[in-house]
Each structure stands twice: as structure tokens, then as C-alpha cells.
């Protein structure tokens, strides 16, 4: 574990969430510091994705506090959108933009000075260089997943929030992902991810938060 | 800076000023133009076709409305007076309630999921990104408000300038409503309150409709001219709300009222426009998903699929329901399950029963000959939403296999509960409809029509296609919207034609028997 004395990048205090009257998360508290990774683990329906959604503003917590660098996290604030790279299951593509153009768009939207170089490097790293000109409809599900992961690399990030990033990746892909996340930690990025892959959790996570389904 | 061979290295200094939304949209336009597979000529042809169609429809519709306006203006009967008096009190709250409900179900400011991820999740100014959609919502609200009220007031026989003034007022009112719904969209709590307000407005629209429906006992015989009617046409002047304006000359009060409303409207639109950055990404995307689904259904002219999209969204938002154990076995179990399922969305039942006011209102207005048709269509609207179960079964061969029954048998079973509702509904509408055979025809028509529409196959593009000026289309595409209504009209035809009671009973009975005997087609 690194930067133990620094202020937490993400602080979640007594988080609660309900679907109707039924609580799915109760009293969840943890802190995540820069250069640290926390893995959320637990069976299906335990609330891993819901926790991540609450953090990125896609779901409204019933109670609790979520602070990013000491301030309440709100995705409507530009700085939050700049600093938090998110990969949940809400990714869709423009049908008429190629893989490379999608990354180019994202890099430009984040103010990157030379998006062409960055996109080429990213496509090379994720093994999609040959698919750069393909439209999303012609990409395989694995390629789409790689492209989704690449979105985190063409933008600034202080915090990465990833929901099962290993899903639909082949063995080499999972290995690359593991190495990449370790690199991200070294560069100071805080990572919060949900996963069902014990090997990925073991290699990347500094702490593990285990969620269990509430009765 | 990154090099193409090595891994991506994150350097914060690579990221500078955030571009404007205008610059980003310009980049997207330029990029998309490179993939364009249609020439300017082809696009122009399409635009020309759309404009030509709009002009034709506008001219025809305008002519019809003008003709009806002339006829209505000459009408001095008690019925016309009643309609002129009551209709504005029904139409205005109804339009407002519908606007609030429809706009909140699609956003009103919405964006596709792709836009949500690739643009709205970036630090680019959100208000600026959403402003084009916001303007579109305001324009659509204004156009719909203008056209809808123009048609209604024209049909009431109002003079030309009165129609235009009423339409302009209504357009301004709907723009204000749309702006308020954008403010409401910013929090879930506001949305809940706005939906309650919409419900109250709906009740406000039902009250005058009920009063109109309660007229038959007190009104003079149809066609009789009364001094009251003459008074109404004078007092109602051009706007319908004449009684409120009796003490004040309308032509001095209205421009002032209109001016105030326009200023208020502009201020509201501008203020709301500046608060677009308070919209959450989730609230914006949800409407976009619904619109995309509705657009897909509309492109195949499939009314049932439109209903599916709305119902699917309702259940997704609801998320959870209290599990209730089943009863019986085989067919009985399915009937019980359908009953429970229908009770799970009580609003539909409430609206279904509220639609009973339609035949009574038509009867109350004195249009006795139209009562069976009005009852048939209102009953169709009441019973069709209860057929989601049949719809799911007919759309899924896997579900039919899992249930282990023939689709014909399943169609009968799934129609039992809606059928009972149809009988009850028709029985309650019976005093307005008049005779027992006509009531039977209405019940049979609404059930047969709703079952036929709910069990319709979607148009298949995988089979043979027919060449048309719009490109290749599947056979039967254009008959798709009529599906269901055709059987309703066949059942009502003997009533409308005034032939003997035997035929009024026999034809709908035959239609029902044939429909339930035939196995629905599947893909």
C-alpha cells in the first residue's frame, strides 16, 4: 500500500442504497488513496455494480457520503468528469465513427494536444491497430471491450472506476489488463474495480472489499 | 507525449484547454462527412419528398379543417353551444397533462447512450452540449401546441383570428410547460411532483367531460335551436373561455395577456436554458434510450411495439415487485397469473375505466350515432394495454415452447382476463350505447381488435420485399398500423349501418370465433 498519509482520493462513508424498500447496500465505508487499488468482490446481486454506480452518479444513494479529494462527488461538476475515468455497462458507440475516431473524439474532448499520436499508441497497446478503421458494428465483443478499456487511456484520470474490466477478454487480454492497472497505480491513479477474477484481484488490488447479498 | 510503439504514458501536460461543444460538434460533422454514403442530390431528394408530403398533408388537412370550421360556425344548435362551452375546459388541461407526461417520459432533454458516454461524460460544457436538444424540445412543444389548439378551436367554429390567437396562446403555454419540465427533470423528487400535477390536470379535464356526459337528461332534443345556444356562440366569442371574459372586452384584454405570457415564456426559456448543466447524465440518457426504441418501432409502423417500449421502460424503472404465488395448473394457472400481472399496473385499469367517460360525453353532446364508434375506440384503448402477456407470448417462440402449449390455445387463455374486463367495460358503457346487441358488438369489437393487434408479428425484412418509392419494404408494412382497428370496424359496421339486431350479434360473434380458432403466425 502506498501514500498512506495522503488525503484519500475517494472516501465512502456509511453508503446505503435501496431498490424500493429492499436495502442492497448498508453501511459501506472505505477509503481509496492515490496509487492504490481496491477490489469489490462478492457473488452476483451483492451490490458491486450498484456501489460503482453510486460513486459515478448513475444511481442515487439512500444515505451516506462519497467524497472525491475531500469534496462531494457529483458528475455534473466538470472537474469530476475530468478526473474520474469510468467503465460500467453503459457504453455504447456512434455507429458511424470508427474505433480510432471514437478514441480521437474522447482525447479531444479532454483537451489533448495531439490526439492522433495518442490514439495510435493506444490502439497499438490494446491490440486494435488493425481494427482502427472498423465501425463498431463490425467489431467483435472482445474488440469492443478492448476499445472500451482504451477509453480510460486517452484521457486524464485520478480515479478509475471499472466494473468487471476482465469481462470478455481472452487470457492475454486479462494479463495485459493486470499489467496495465499496476502501471496505472504506479503513476498515481487510484483504482476501484469490481471483479470475479481472483487472479486479477490478487495481482492488482491492495485491499479487498467483500460484499454479501443482504437478506 | 506518447510514441506509437511503446505503452501509453499518462502525462497531464498533454491535456490543455477543454474544447467548446461547438468545436467538438464541428469535428464530428467533418469526420462523419468522410463516411457519408449519400450524395447531396440524394439528401435533397429526401428533403424535397418530406416537404412535398408535408405540404400535401397540410393542404388536405387544412382544407378539411376549414370546411368543418365553416360548418361549425353556422351551427347554432344546443349541442354546438354545449361543445363550444365545455371543450376548452377539457382540451387545455388535457394538453397540459399530456405534455408534462410525454415530455417527462422522454426527458424532455435527452441524448443517446453513445452521446452520454463519449460526450456528456467529458468535461466539455454540458449545458452547451444539450442546448440544441433543448431548443428542439421548445420548438416541438410550440408547434404541437399551435397545431393541436388550432384544430380544436377551428372545429368549434371559431373565427380565423380567434383560432390564431388561441393557437398562439396555447403554443406559448406549452413552451412554458416544456421549460418547466426541463427544470423538473433535474431531480427525481421534482419529477414525482410534476407527475402528480399532471394527474390533477387529467382529473381537471375529466370533470367537464363528466358534466358534458351528464347532459342527456336536461338537454333539449338534438337539432333544436335555443336562445342559450345563441348566447353561447356570442359569449364564448373566439376563445371558448367566454364566460370569464364577459366583463372585459376580449380584444383589449387578450393582447395584454398574450404580451405578458410571451415575456414570461421567453424569460423562462432563457433561465432554464442556463440551468441545463444541472441535468444528470442518467436522466438525459434514459429518455434517449426510450426515444431510440420508439423510433425503431415507429419505423416499422408497429403500434404494438411502441406500447412494448413504453411498458418495458415502466417495468425497468419499477425494478421490483412483490412476488405472489400462483394458483391452479395449466390454463387456470396462466389465467390467474394474467390477473395478478394486470393488477400489478393499476394505473392502466384506472385509465381504462376513466375512458368510460368518452361514450357518455359523446352521447351527452348529442352525437348519438357516433356513440358505438366512440365506445369501440375508447374500449379498445382501455383493453389493449392489458394484453402485454399475450404480446410477450406471441413475440417469443421460446416462451411458447417453455409453456408447453400451442400458441392458438395460449392466445385464448391470455385473452380471458382482458375479455372479462372488456365485457365489464361494455356493460358499464351500455346506458350510453343504447341497445344490448350494440353493446355486444362494441365488446366483441374491442376484444377482437385488441387481441389481433397484440398478437401481430413484426414486419420481417428477412423475407421477400416489395419495391416502393421509399426503397424495399416488407409486404404488409403499411397495413400494420390498421391491424386490430380493422376487426373493430368490422364488428361495429352492422351497428353503424343500422341493420337488424341478428346481424349486429352474428357478425361480431363470427369474427371472434374465427379469430380465436386461427393459429397466430410466428416467425
Amino acid at each position: 500500500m502506498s501514500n498512506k498519509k495522503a488525503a484519500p482520493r475517494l472516501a465512502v462513508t456509511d453508503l446505503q442504497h435501496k431498490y424500493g424498500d429492499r436495502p442492497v447496500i448498508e453501511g459501506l465505508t472505505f477509503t481509496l488513496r492515490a496509487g492504490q487499488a481496491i477490489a469489490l468482490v462478492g457473488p452476483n446481486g451483492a451490490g458491486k455494480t450498484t456501489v460503482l454506480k453510486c460513486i459515478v452518479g448513475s444511481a442515487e444513494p439512500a444515505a451516506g457520503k462519497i467524497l472525491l479529494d475531500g469534496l462531494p462527488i457529483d458528475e455534473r461538476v466538470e472537474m469530476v468528469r475530468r478526473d474520474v475515468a469510468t467503465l460500467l455497462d453503459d457504453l455504447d458507440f456512434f455507429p458511424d465513427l470508427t474505433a480510432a475516431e471514437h478514441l480521437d473524439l474522447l482525447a479531444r474532448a479532454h483537451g489533448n494536444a495531439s490526439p492522433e499520436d495518442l490514439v495510435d499508441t493506444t490502439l497499438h497497446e490494446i491490440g486494435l491497430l488493425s481494427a482502427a478503421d472498423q465501425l463498431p458494428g463490425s467489431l467483435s465483443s472482445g474488440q469492443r471491450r478492448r476499445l472500451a478499456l482504451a477509453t480510460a487511456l486517452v484521457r486524464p484520470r485520478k480515479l478509475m472506476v471499472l466494473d468487471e474490466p476482465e469481462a470478455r477478454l481472452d487470457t492475454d487480454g486479462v494479463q495485459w489488463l493486470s499489467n496495465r492497472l499496476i502501471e496505472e497505480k504506479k503513476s498515481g491513479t487510484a483504482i476501484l474495480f469490481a471483479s470475479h477474477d481472483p487472479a486479477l484481484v490478487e495481482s492488482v488490488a491492495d485491499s479487498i472489499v467483500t460484499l454479501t447479498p443482504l437478506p | 507525449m506518447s510514441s506509437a510503439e511503446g505503452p501509453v504514458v499518462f502525462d497531464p501536460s498533454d491535456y490543455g484547454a477543454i474544447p467548446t461543444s461547438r468545436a467538438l460538434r464541428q469535428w464530428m460533422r467533418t469526420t462523419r462527412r468522410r463516411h457519408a454514403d449519400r450524395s447531396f442530390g440524394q439528401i435533397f431528394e429526401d428533403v424535397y419528398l418530406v416537404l412535398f408530403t408535408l405540404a400535401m398533408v397540410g393542404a388536405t388537412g387544412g382544407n378539411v379543417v376549414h370546411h368543418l370550421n365553416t360548418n361549425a360556425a353556422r351551427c347554432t344548435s344546443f349541442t354546438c353551444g354545449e361543445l363550444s362551452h365545455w371543450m376548452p375546459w377539457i382540451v387545455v388541461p388535457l394538453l397540459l397533462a399530456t405534455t408534462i407526461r410525454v415530455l417527462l417520459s422522454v426527458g424532455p432533454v435527452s441524448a443517446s447512450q453513445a452521446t452520454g458516454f463519449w460526450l456528456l461524460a467529458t468535461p466539455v460544457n454540458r449545458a452547451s452540449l444539450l442546448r440544441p436538444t433543448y431548443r428542439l424540445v421548445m420548438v416541438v412543444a410550440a408547434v404541437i401546441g399551435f397545431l393541436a389548439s388550432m384544430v380544436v378551436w377551428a372545429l368549434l367554429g371559431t373565427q380565423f383570428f380567434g383560432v390564431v390567437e388561441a393557437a398562439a396562446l396555447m403554443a406559448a403555454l406549452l413552451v412554458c410547460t416544456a421549460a418547466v419540465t426541463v427544470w423538473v427533470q433535474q431531480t427525481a423528487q421534482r419529477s414525482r411532483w410534476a407527475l402528480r400535477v399532471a394527474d390533477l390536470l387529467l382529473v381537471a379535464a375529466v370533470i367537464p367531460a363528466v358534466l358534458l356526459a351528464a347532459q342527456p337528461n336536461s338537454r333539449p332534443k338534438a337539432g333544436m335551436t335555443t336562445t342559450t345556444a345563441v348566447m353561447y356562440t356570442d359569449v364564448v366569442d373566439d376563445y371558448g373561455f367566454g364566460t370569464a371574459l364577459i366583463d372585459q372586452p376580449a380584444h383589449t384584454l387578450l393582447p395584454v395577456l398574450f404580451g405578458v405570457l410571451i415575456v414570461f415564456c421567453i424569460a423562462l426559456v432563457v433561465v432554464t436554458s442556463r440551468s441545463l448543466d444541472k441535468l444528470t447524465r442518467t436522466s438525459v440518457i434514459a429518455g434517449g434510450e426510450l426515444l431510440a426504441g420508439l423510433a425503431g418501432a415507429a419505423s416499422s409502423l408497429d403500434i404494438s411495439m411502441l406500447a412494448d417500449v413504453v411498458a418495458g421502460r415502466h417495468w425497468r424503472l419499477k425494478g421490483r415487485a412483490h412476488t405472489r404465488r400462483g394458483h391452479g395448473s395449466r390454463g387456470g394457472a396462466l389465467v390467474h397469473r394474467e390477473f395478478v400481472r394486470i393488477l400489478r399496473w393499476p394505473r392502466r385499469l384506472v385509465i381504462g375505466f376513466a375512458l368510460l367517460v368518452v361514450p357518455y360525453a359523446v352521447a351527452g353532446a348529442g352525437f348519438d350515432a357516433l356513440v358505438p364508434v366512440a365506445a369501440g375506440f375508447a374500449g379498445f384503448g382501455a383493453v389493449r394495454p392489458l394484453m402485454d402477456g399475450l404480446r410477450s407470448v406471441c413475440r417469443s417462440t421460446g416462451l411458447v415452447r417453455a409453456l408447453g402449449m400451442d400458441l392458438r390455445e395460449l392466445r385464448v387463455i391470455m385473452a380471458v382476463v382482458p375479455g372479462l374486463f372488456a365485457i365489464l367495460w361494455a356493460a358499464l358503457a351500455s346506458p350510453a350505447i343504447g341497445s344490448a346487441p350494440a353493446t355486444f358488438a362494441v365488446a366483441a369489437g374491442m376484444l377482437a381488435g385488441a387481441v389481433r393487434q397484440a398478437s401481430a408479428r413484426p414486419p420481417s425484412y428477412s423475407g421477400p420485399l416489395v419495391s416502393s418509392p421509399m426503397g424495399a419494404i416488407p409486404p404488409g408494412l403499411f397495413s400494420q398500423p390498421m391491424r386490430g382497428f380493422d376487426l373493430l370496424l368490422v364488428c361495429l359496421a352492422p351497428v353503424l349501418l343500422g341493420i337488424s339486431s341478428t346481424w349486429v350479434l352474428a357478425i361480431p360473434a363470427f369474427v371472434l370465433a374465427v379469430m380465436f380458432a386461427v393459429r397466430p403466425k410466428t416467425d
Side-chain angles (χ1 to χ4, degrees):
Chain A
M1 216 173 280
S2 57
N3 297 328
K4 272 189 175 173
K5 286 178 183 173
R9 175 125 298 157
L10 178 73
V12 175
T13 312
D14 200 19
L15 183 70
Q16 293 180 32
H17 189 270
K18 292 177 180 178
Y19 284 124
D21 295 334
R22 180 188 160 240
V24 281
I25 302 160
E26 263 186 352
L28 181 66
T29 300
F30 64 86
T31 53
L32 176 63
R33 295 173 193 282
Q36 193 187 23
I38 288 182
L40 298 177
V41 299
N44 293 333
K48 302 186 293 295
T49 303
T50 306
V51 172
L52 300 183
K53 281 184 173 175
C54 288
I55 288 166
V56 303
S58 295
E60 205 175 330
K65 263 197 268 184
I66 304 171
L67 305 177
L68 178 72
D69 290 332
L71 295 170
I73 196 164
D74 183 347
E75 61 97 19
R76 290 174 292 187
V77 177
E78 284 181 14
M79 285 312 291
V80 172
R81 297 205 295 273
R82 183 171 184 135
D83 291 342
V84 183
T86 307
L87 183 61
L88 302 183
D89 58 355
D90 61 350
L91 177 58
D92 203 352
F93 299 90
F94 292 107
D96 55 349
L97 293 186
T98 66
E101 285 164 354
H102 273 93
L103 296 182
D104 193 350
L105 171 65
L106 204 60
R108 284 173 196 277
H110 281 277
N112 190 278
S114 52
E116 292 87 359
D117 291 346
L118 179 62
V119 168
D120 285 349
T121 315
T122 307
L123 286 170
H124 181 263
E125 184 179 334
I126 61 167
L128 277 185
L129 206 51
S130 60
D133 294 335
Q134 279 183 238
L135 294 169
S138 66
L139 294 173
S140 72
S141 69
Q143 284 176 317
R144 281 169 160 245
R145 189 63 179 178
R146 283 172 182 261
L147 185 57
L149 287 167
T151 61
L153 306 182
V154 294
R155 51 164 296 162
R157 61 266 180 194
K158 287 182 178 173
L159 169 67
M160 291 171 89
V161 179
L162 311 169
D163 189 13
E164 297 183 27
E166 77 281 7
R168 296 197 297 280
L169 289 182
D170 54 24
T171 318
D172 288 347
V174 177
Q175 188 54 53
W176 166 81
L177 176 70
S178 173
N179 294 336
R180 180 76 234 186
L181 292 180
I182 291 166
E183 285 301 313
E184 288 292 327
K185 285 201 309 177
K186 282 180 188 165
S187 67
T189 308
I191 302 169
L192 176 67
F193 69 108
S195 177
H196 287 293
D197 185 335
L200 183 69
V201 170
E202 193 178 334
S203 62
V204 176
D206 300 296
S207 311
I208 296 173
V209 174
T210 306
L211 299 172
T212 48
L214 295 174
Chain B
M1 203 70 69
S2 313
S3 70
E5 285 74 30
V8 181
V9 178
F10 171 46
D11 181 356
S13 66
D14 285 345
Y15 297 89
I18 304 299
T20 62
S21 70
R22 186 187 291 265
L24 216 54
R25 273 200 295 268
Q26 180 59 40
W27 178 87
M28 286 186 79
R29 263 199 296 276
T30 313
T31 307
R32 282 174 157 158
R33 228 169 262 154
R34 282 190 228 129
H35 308 310
D37 53 1
R38 292 159 75 216
S39 65
F40 177 76
Q42 285 170 316
I43 295 169
F44 181 76
E45 242 178 60
D46 287 356
V47 171
Y48 168 76
L49 198 68
V50 169
L51 289 179
F52 183 74
T53 310
L54 283 177
M56 289 294 288
V57 170
T60 314
N63 204 19
V64 171
V65 170
H66 178 67
H67 182 71
L68 291 171
N69 176 252
T70 312
N71 282 352
R74 279 201 291 261
C75 178
T76 53
S77 70
F78 182 82
T79 299
C80 294
E82 287 295 286
L83 279 178
S84 299
H85 180 69
W86 290 111
M87 281 306 277
W89 299 104
I90 299 173
V91 169
V92 174
L94 194 64
L95 261 178
L96 290 177
T98 311
T99 304
I100 293 172
R101 278 217 157 261
V102 170
L103 287 181
L104 283 181
S105 66
V106 297
V109 177
S110 62
S112 69
Q113 201 157 7
T115 304
F117 184 86
W118 298 96
L119 292 175
L120 295 178
T122 67
V124 178
N125 185 288
R126 182 170 286 183
S128 176
L129 279 171
L130 293 174
R131 205 155 283 136
T133 317
Y134 174 73
R135 287 186 196 129
L136 183 67
V137 170
M138 295 303 130
V139 170
V140 170
V143 170
I144 288 178
F146 192 88
L147 290 179
S149 48
M150 198 174 74
V151 170
V152 170
W153 264 262
L155 292 181
L156 293 176
T158 314
Q159 290 168 359
F160 178 74
F161 285 109
V163 170
V164 173
E165 281 168 350
L169 270 174
M170 201 63 214
L173 196 58
L174 283 206
V175 169
C176 290
T177 310
V180 170
T181 56
V182 173
W183 174 78
V184 160
Q185 188 186 358
Q186 292 168 8
T187 69
Q189 197 182 11
R190 285 181 202 165
S191 298
R192 279 192 292 274
W193 276 105
L195 290 176
R196 280 177 205 160
V197 171
D199 286 344
L200 285 177
L201 284 167
L202 209 57
V203 172
V206 167
I207 291 170
V210 170
L211 291 175
L212 187 62
Q215 290 293 314
N217 296 332
S218 59
R219 75 190 156 96
K221 283 181 183 172
M224 189 176 162
T225 306
T226 67
T227 48
T228 321
V230 175
M231 188 196 83
Y232 273 137
T233 40
D234 288 339
V235 168
V236 161
D237 48 52
D238 295 337
Y239 318 109
F241 293 100
T243 44
L245 302 171
I246 286 171
D247 299 333
Q248 192 72 274
H251 290 284
T252 56
L253 181 66
L254 210 83
V256 175
L257 182 69
F258 190 66
V260 170
L261 188 60
I262 289 292
V263 170
F264 177 71
C265 190
I266 291 170
L268 198 62
V269 168
V270 171
V271 168
T272 316
S273 166
R274 288 185 180 165
S275 70
L276 289 175
D277 54 350
K278 289 181 183 157
L279 291 172
T280 62
R281 195 161 67 99
T282 317
S283 76
V284 172
I285 294 171
E289 281 179 343
L290 180 69
L291 278 180
L294 291 176
S299 68
S300 59
L301 302 177
D302 193 339
I303 296 172
S304 288
M305 201 191 281
L306 285 171
D308 286 349
V309 173
V310 174
R313 178 186 158 91
H314 168 82
W315 295 119
R316 264 200 312 282
L317 290 177
K318 193 166 169 73
R320 287 176 61 84
H322 177 65
T323 301
R324 294 185 59 181
R325 294 199 180 279
H327 286 291
S329 61
R330 290 192 60 78
L334 283 175
V335 170
H336 176 260
R337 183 53 63 198
E338 276 297 285
F339 182 67
V340 170
R341 192 187 57 72
I342 286 169
L343 287 182
R344 195 157 274 169
W345 196 345
R347 174 182 283 272
R348 288 180 154 188
L349 287 172
V350 172
I351 292 173
F353 282 115
L355 282 171
L356 274 167
V357 80
V358 174
Y360 284 99
V362 174
F367 297 107
D368 295 337
L370 293 178
V371 172
V373 179
F377 277 92
F380 183 94
V383 79
R384 173 59 190 86
L386 311 184
M387 295 205 169
D388 285 351
L390 176 63
R391 182 93 190 120
S392 305
V393 165
C394 289
R395 282 276 158 113
S396 165
T397 46
L399 191 53
V400 176
R401 264 200 312 275
L403 290 169
M405 291 183 203
D406 183 67
L407 187 52
R408 190 188 61 77
E409 198 183 349
L410 276 172
R411 179 154 76 169
V412 177
I413 293 167
M414 294 285 186
V416 169
V417 182
L420 291 172
F421 175 81
I423 292 167
L424 177 64
W425 196 94
L428 291 172
S430 181
I433 297 169
S435 69
T439 304
F440 172 74
V442 168
M446 59 196 250
L447 180 63
V451 169
R452 178 166 155 77
Q453 192 188 75
S455 49
R457 272 188 313 167
S460 168
Y461 284 84
S462 57
L465 299 176
V466 179
S467 177
S468 80
M470 294 164 56
I473 56 164
L477 179 73
F478 290 114
S479 63
Q480 195 78 5
M482 271 304 292
R483 216 183 153 89
F485 298 111
D486 46 5
L487 283 193
L488 174 64
L489 288 175
V490 168
C491 292
L492 293 177
V495 185
L496 294 174
L497 295 173
I499 55 179
S500 76
S501 298
T502 313
W503 289 108
V504 171
L505 289 170
I507 291 177
F510 178 74
V511 167
L512 272 182
V514 170
M515 198 196 60
F516 282 118
V518 173
R519 187 181 191 282
K521 288 178 185 166
T522 49
D523 291 326

